[in-house]
Coordinates of all heavy atoms in Angstrom, one line a residue:
P148 N -2.4 38.9 -23.8 CA -3.2 37.9 -23.0 C -4.7 38.4 -23.0 O -4.9 39.6 -23.0 CB -2.6 38.0 -21.6 CG -1.7 39.1 -21.6 CD -1.3 39.5 -23.0
Y149 N -5.6 37.5 -22.8 CA -7.0 37.8 -22.8 C -7.4 38.5 -21.5 O -8.3 39.4 -21.4 CB -7.9 36.6 -22.9 CG -8.2 36.2 -24.3 CD1 -7.3 35.2 -24.9 CD2 -9.2 36.7 -25.0 CE1 -7.6 34.9 -26.3 CE2 -9.5 36.3 -26.3 CZ -8.6 35.4 -26.9 OH -8.9 35.1 -28.2
G150 N -6.8 38.1 -20.4 CA -7.2 38.6 -19.0 C -7.5 37.5 -18.1 O -6.5 36.8 -17.7
V151 N -8.7 37.2 -17.8 CA -9.1 36.1 -16.9 C -9.6 34.9 -17.7 O -10.6 35.1 -18.5 CB -10.2 36.6 -15.9 CG1 -10.7 35.4 -15.1 CG2 -9.6 37.7 -15.0
I152 N -9.0 33.8 -17.6 CA -9.4 32.6 -18.3 C -10.2 31.7 -17.3 O -9.7 31.4 -16.2 CB -8.1 31.7 -18.7 CG1 -7.2 32.6 -19.5 CG2 -8.6 30.5 -19.5 CD1 -7.6 33.0 -20.9
G153 N -11.4 31.3 -17.6 CA -12.2 30.4 -16.8 C -11.9 29.0 -17.4 O -12.1 28.7 -18.5
A154 N -11.3 28.1 -16.5 CA -10.9 26.8 -16.9 C -11.7 25.7 -16.2 O -11.8 25.8 -14.9 CB -9.4 26.6 -16.7
I155 N -12.2 24.8 -16.9 CA -13.1 23.7 -16.3 C -12.5 22.4 -16.7 O -12.3 22.1 -17.9 CB -14.5 23.9 -16.7 CG1 -15.1 25.3 -16.3 CG2 -15.4 22.8 -16.1 CD1 -16.5 25.6 -16.7
S156 N -12.3 21.5 -15.7 CA -11.6 20.2 -16.1 C -12.4 19.0 -15.5 O -13.2 19.2 -14.6 CB -10.2 20.3 -15.6 OG -10.1 20.6 -14.2
P157 N -12.2 17.8 -16.1 CA -12.9 16.6 -15.7 C -12.1 15.8 -14.7 O -11.1 16.2 -14.2 CB -13.0 15.9 -17.1 CG -11.7 16.2 -17.7 CD -11.3 17.6 -17.3
W158 N -12.7 14.6 -14.4 CA -12.1 13.8 -13.3 C -11.2 12.7 -13.8 O -10.5 12.1 -13.0 CB -13.3 13.1 -12.5 CG -14.3 12.5 -13.4 CD1 -15.5 13.0 -13.7 CD2 -14.2 11.2 -14.0 NE1 -16.2 12.1 -14.5 CE2 -15.4 11.0 -14.8 CE3 -13.2 10.2 -14.1 CZ2 -15.7 9.9 -15.5 CZ3 -13.5 9.1 -14.8 CH2 -14.7 8.9 -15.5
N159 N -11.1 12.5 -15.1 CA -10.4 11.3 -15.5 C -8.8 11.3 -15.5 O -8.2 10.3 -15.2 CB -10.9 10.7 -16.8 CG -10.8 11.7 -18.0 OD1 -10.7 12.9 -17.7 ND2 -10.7 11.2 -19.2
F160 N -8.3 12.5 -15.7 CA -6.8 12.7 -15.5 C -6.7 14.1 -14.8 O -6.3 15.1 -15.5 CB -6.0 12.7 -16.8 CG -6.1 11.4 -17.5 CD1 -7.0 11.1 -18.4 CD2 -5.1 10.4 -17.2 CE1 -7.1 9.9 -19.1 CE2 -5.1 9.2 -17.8 CZ -6.1 8.9 -18.8
P161 N -7.1 14.2 -13.6 CA -7.4 15.5 -13.0 C -6.2 16.5 -13.1 O -6.4 17.6 -13.6 CB -7.8 15.2 -11.5 CG -8.3 13.8 -11.6 CD -7.5 13.1 -12.6
V162 N -5.1 16.1 -12.6 CA -4.0 17.2 -12.6 C -3.4 17.4 -14.0 O -3.1 18.5 -14.3 CB -2.9 16.9 -11.5 CG1 -3.4 16.9 -10.1 CG2 -2.1 15.6 -11.8
I163 N -3.4 16.4 -14.8 CA -2.8 16.5 -16.1 C -3.7 17.5 -16.9 O -3.2 18.5 -17.5 CB -2.8 15.2 -16.9 CG1 -1.7 14.3 -16.3 CG2 -2.5 15.4 -18.4 CD1 -1.5 12.9 -17.0
L164 N -5.0 17.2 -16.9 CA -5.9 18.0 -17.8 C -6.1 19.4 -17.3 O -6.3 20.4 -18.1 CB -7.2 17.3 -18.0 CG -7.1 16.0 -18.7 CD1 -8.4 15.2 -18.8 CD2 -6.6 16.2 -20.2
A165 N -5.9 19.6 -16.0 CA -5.9 21.0 -15.5 C -4.7 21.7 -15.9 O -4.7 22.9 -16.4 CB -6.0 21.0 -13.9
A166 N -3.5 21.0 -15.8 CA -2.2 21.7 -16.2 C -2.2 22.0 -17.7 O -1.6 23.0 -18.1 CB -1.1 20.8 -15.8
W167 N -2.8 21.2 -18.5 CA -2.8 21.5 -20.0 C -3.4 22.8 -20.2 O -3.2 23.4 -21.2 CB -3.7 20.4 -20.7 CG -3.0 19.1 -21.0 CD1 -1.9 18.6 -20.4 CD2 -3.4 18.1 -21.9 NE1 -1.6 17.4 -20.9 CE2 -2.5 17.0 -21.8 CE3 -4.4 18.0 -22.8 CZ2 -2.6 15.9 -22.6 CZ3 -4.6 16.9 -23.6 CH2 -3.6 15.9 -23.5
K168 N -4.3 23.3 -19.3 CA -4.9 24.6 -19.4 C -4.2 25.7 -18.7 O -3.8 26.7 -19.2 CB -6.4 24.5 -19.0 CG -7.1 23.5 -19.8 CD -8.6 23.4 -19.5 CE -9.3 22.5 -20.4 NZ -9.1 22.6 -21.8
F169 N -4.0 25.5 -17.4 CA -3.4 26.6 -16.6 C -2.0 26.9 -17.0 O -1.6 28.1 -16.9 CB -3.7 26.5 -15.1 CG -2.9 25.4 -14.3 CD1 -1.5 25.6 -14.1 CD2 -3.5 24.3 -13.8 CE1 -0.8 24.6 -13.4 CE2 -2.8 23.4 -13.1 CZ -1.5 23.5 -12.9
A170 N -1.2 25.9 -17.3 CA 0.2 26.2 -17.6 C 0.4 27.1 -18.8 O 1.0 28.2 -18.7 CB 1.0 24.9 -17.8
P171 N -0.2 26.8 -20.0 CA -0.1 27.8 -21.1 C -0.8 29.1 -20.9 O -0.3 30.2 -21.3 CB -0.7 27.0 -22.3 CG -1.5 25.9 -21.7 CD -0.9 25.6 -20.4
A172 N -2.0 29.1 -20.2 CA -2.7 30.3 -20.0 C -1.9 31.3 -19.2 O -1.8 32.5 -19.4 CB -4.1 30.0 -19.4
L173 N -1.3 30.7 -18.1 CA -0.5 31.6 -17.2 C 0.8 32.1 -17.9 O 1.2 33.2 -17.8 CB -0.1 30.8 -15.9 CG -1.3 30.5 -15.0 CD1 -0.8 29.6 -13.8 CD2 -1.9 31.8 -14.4
A174 N 1.4 31.1 -18.6 CA 2.7 31.5 -19.3 C 2.4 32.6 -20.3 O 3.3 33.5 -20.5 CB 3.2 30.3 -20.0
A175 N 1.2 32.7 -20.9 CA 0.9 33.7 -21.8 C 0.5 35.1 -21.1 O 0.3 36.1 -21.8 CB -0.3 33.3 -22.7
G176 N 0.5 35.1 -19.8 CA 0.3 36.3 -19.1 C -1.1 36.5 -18.6 O -1.5 37.6 -18.2
N177 N -2.0 35.5 -18.7 CA -3.3 35.6 -18.2 C -3.4 35.2 -16.7 O -2.5 34.7 -16.1 CB -4.2 34.6 -18.9 CG -4.3 34.8 -20.4 OD1 -5.0 35.8 -20.8 ND2 -3.6 34.1 -21.2
G178 N -4.5 35.5 -16.1 CA -4.9 34.9 -14.8 C -5.8 33.8 -15.1 O -6.5 33.7 -16.1
V179 N -5.9 32.8 -14.1 CA -6.8 31.7 -14.3 C -7.7 31.4 -13.1 O -7.2 31.4 -12.0 CB -5.9 30.4 -14.6 CG1 -6.8 29.1 -14.6 CG2 -5.2 30.5 -15.9

Side-chain angles (χ1 to χ4, degrees):
Y149 275 93
V151 174
I152 308 292
I155 300 173
S156 51
W158 48 260
N159 58 337
F160 295 91
V162 295
I163 289 184
L164 294 173
W167 280 20
K168 298 187 178 309
F169 70 70
L173 292 172
N177 298 284
V179 173

